Amino acid sequence: MMEKNKNDDGSSSTASIKLTPHQERVRDALIDRRLNVFNVVEIIANEKVADMMDRMEMCTCSKCTCDVLAIALNALPTKYVTSHAGKQYFQLNSYKKQFETDVEIALMRACLTVKEAPNHEGDEGK
């Protein structure tokens, strides 16, 4: 439903869309979710990518690092946790042990792919 807003001087401003109470709750939940949901696999990959790239003796520029992360994360399942007090720490530690090896293998494969055909200009990052 469209509604007109009245300014303090009595004139009308541009029309806006009025949300139903349900739509407002959904909008608010989506805003909250953005701040409170984390992919544990991505956290682990971010922690390990620099070390893996060093071990693979490859370029560590930002483009190569992002390419390695993107390739590895696309090959891995996602595992989301919430950030409620204490819960995230517990979930992160239990999932970290479970997924560490899978993340390392995916990162190693991604490093080989990027090392074979790097996506950067010149010799930056070497």
Side-chain angles (χ1 to χ4, degrees):
M1 170 180 208
M2 299 290 281
E3 87 179 10
K4 287 189 177 184
N5 296 326
K6 296 276 185 181
N7 294 329
D8 290 337
D9 63 2
S11 65
S12 294
S13 65
T14 59
S16 64
I17 297 174
K18 182 175 179 172
L19 299 176
T20 66
H22 174 72
Q23 289 170 325
E24 288 176 355
R25 286 192 305 275
V26 169
R27 180 200 59 207
D28 293 345
L30 289 172
I31 290 169
D32 287 345
R33 184 186 71 79
R34 188 175 40 134
L35 302 173
N36 297 318
V37 179
F38 304 93
N39 179 357
V40 177
V41 175
E42 184 176 356
I43 293 168
I44 296 167
N46 279 316
E47 289 175 358
K48 298 189 167 294
V49 68
D51 181 54
M52 182 62 69
M53 291 175 78
D54 284 342
R55 286 194 286 168
M56 299 292 291
E57 297 180 351
M58 63 176 294
C59 173
T60 56
C61 75
S62 62
K63 287 182 182 180
C64 289
T65 302
C66 288
D67 287 344
V68 167
L69 279 170
I71 292 167
L73 290 171
N74 281 326
L76 290 163
T78 56
K79 195 62 176 178
Y80 290 100
V81 296
T82 61
S83 65
H84 299 295
K87 189 175 179 184
Q88 180 190 6
Y89 180 78
F90 173 76
Q91 289 176 325
L92 179 60
N93 282 332
S94 69
Y95 288 126
K96 186 173 183 175
K97 292 174 187 153
Q98 181 180 352
F99 289 116
E100 252 177 354
T101 303
D102 293 338
V103 169
E104 287 181 358
I105 291 168
L107 284 171
M108 187 179 302
R109 288 179 178 154
C111 284
L112 290 171
T113 300
V114 173
K115 190 174 180 179
E116 191 175 293
N119 187 25
H120 62 256
E121 299 164 8
D123 291 329
E124 70 178 279
K126 286 191 177 182

